[in-house]
Amino acid sequence: MSKKHPIISVTGSSGSGTTTVKSTFDQIFRREGISTVSIEGDAFHRYDRAEMKRELDVRKSAGDETFSHFSYDANELEKLAEVFRTYAETGQGETRHYIHDEEEAERYGAEPGTFTGWAPFEEGSDLLFYEGLHGAVVNDSVNLSALADLKIGVVPVINLEWIQKIHRDKARRGYSTEAVTDTILRRMHAYVHCICPQFTETDINFQRVPVVDTSNPFIARWIPTADESLVVIRFKNPRGIDFAYLRTMIHDSWMTRANSIVIPGGKMDLAMQLIFTPMILRLVNESRRA
């Protein structure tokens, strides 16, 4: 970790809402006049779309039914660790973009399913912001958790996560429910071994819990709304967190443990603004003094 060049890492499984979280952070950065560079987990996939399909076929032929983008070896985690380390030491680094669709293809001038070239960060940033699947990985090869200054986990309970993925992939990618279910089953091994352990490393976790029936996510006709959800916020180290202030500011919130507070689903953005603004300002002030 570096006082001079801090790193914020937001880690969440696919469809967990990390993109919404990034929007909240962008609001804080803009309001407080903080200059950032952002990197996306997709940029560190090892394979582009066509290569991933070929690799999946090879793995299946060899009897491996568990390989997915969640897997460690489907990603350039050593490269990600190098970017974290270089930024912490120098404030420099590089990233690229994975092209998801035609809109991004037009913006970046590359085909959907491919990567742009690596490009250096802009000069003079206050901090680095990562959002993706693997921002707090600790394994035999890398320790990304030790390289980030503030680590945030964003994860819905698993049935809700499946509902979100099924609806997203059917609506945006034209997949059938059966095809998405196959992907979920293939990802489960890596979800258990690669994704879940990271939420032990994170400093603060946000877990969305629906309060409507999601017992069969594969036939759910709609995604539970924010008003049909609660959010459990867990602090790894609650020292210094003013829970009384949060309970006063967030209507209908309550404590469930000494390090956990539950809030209405529609108040998640407000809670993030209240919790993270002073944390970010402290990181940036220490950075500028250093």
Side-chain angles (χ1 to χ4, degrees):
M1 295 188 290
S2 166
K3 281 189 178 297
K4 192 169 184 179
H5 305 292
I7 297 170
I8 297 175
S9 170
V10 176
T11 299
S13 47
S14 184
S16 66
T18 51
T19 303
T20 303
V21 174
K22 183 181 185 305
S23 175
T24 299
F25 272 88
D26 285 343
Q27 291 179 49
I28 297 172
F29 298 149
R30 183 171 55 253
R31 185 180 65 234
E32 303 298 336
I34 296 168
S35 173
T36 67
V37 289
S38 295
I39 57 177
E40 302 162 349
D42 291 351
F44 297 86
H45 287 334
R46 192 177 301 275
Y47 308 102
D48 67 20
R49 189 173 294 166
E51 291 169 342
M52 186 64 176
K53 187 177 185 306
R54 289 194 292 269
E55 186 66 19
L56 281 169
D57 291 340
V58 170
R59 301 280 182 133
K60 286 181 179 179
S61 298
D64 181 1
E65 296 288 343
T66 66
F67 184 69
S68 73
H69 282 309
F70 285 13
S71 306
Y72 291 148
D73 53 347
N75 295 274
E76 301 277 9
L77 297 183
E78 292 83 0
K79 174 67 173 178
L80 179 57
E82 176 192 330
V83 170
F84 274 21
R85 191 176 297 108
T86 299
Y87 186 84
E89 293 172 355
T90 67
Q92 302 297 312
E94 62 179 3
T95 191
R96 62 182 178 177
H97 295 281
Y98 177 77
I99 311 300
H100 293 89
D101 50 36
E102 293 293 342
E103 181 181 341
E104 291 185 357
E106 185 174 341
R107 186 189 317 161
Y108 293 111
E111 291 297 315
T114 65
F115 298 102
T116 64
W118 293 98
F121 295 158
E122 292 184 6
E123 298 278 348
S125 61
D126 292 310
L127 59 82
L128 173 65
F129 183 88
Y130 166 91
E131 176 259 312
L133 292 170
H134 298 100
V137 164
V138 178
N139 62 19
D140 293 337
S141 301
V142 298
N143 186 345
L144 288 162
S145 176
L147 296 171
D149 299 88
L150 177 60
K151 301 174 290 291
I152 301 147
V154 183
V155 56
V157 293
I158 197 160
N159 278 20
L160 176 56
E161 180 169 332
W162 290 348
I163 290 171
Q164 291 178 160
K165 177 161 182 58
I166 290 166
H167 280 251
R168 184 189 64 175
D169 284 6
K170 288 174 69 175
R172 295 185 185 178
R173 301 175 183 175
Y175 294 173
S176 66
T177 299
E178 292 74 18
V180 185
T181 303
D182 287 343
T183 300
I184 290 170
L185 290 171
R186 179 165 46 83
R187 287 178 168 181
M188 281 308 299
H189 182 273
Y191 185 85
V192 170
H193 292 92
C194 304
I195 303 297
C196 285
Q198 296 182 75
F199 300 121
T200 305
E201 301 292 330
T202 44
D203 300 305
I204 306 172
N205 284 336
F206 289 77
Q207 185 170 38
R208 185 175 162 210
V209 182
V211 289
V212 293
D213 183 16
T214 60
S215 52
N216 186 351
F218 303 100
I219 63 165
R221 294 184 178 180
W222 54 81
I223 300 170
T225 65
D227 288 338
E228 296 171 331
S229 306
L230 298 172
V231 176
V232 180
I233 308 172
R234 188 274 293 175
F235 298 83
K236 188 173 186 178
N237 180 3
R239 183 177 298 174
I241 302 300
D242 191 342
F243 287 106
Y245 171 72
L246 292 176
R247 287 192 59 198
T248 299
M249 295 297 291
I250 304 171
H251 185 61
D252 288 335
S253 61
W254 74 96
M255 302 282 296
T256 52
R257 288 185 176 175
N259 66 342
S260 300
I261 185 171
V262 178
I263 66 170
K267 299 295 185 180
M268 184 167 161
D269 177 79
L270 172 61
M272 288 188 165
Q273 300 263 358
L274 294 172
I275 292 166
F276 292 127
T277 298
M279 292 181 175
I280 292 168
L281 289 175
R282 184 162 57 248
L283 285 174
V284 171
N285 287 337
E286 290 178 355
S287 165
R288 290 171 178 172
R289 284 199 300 268

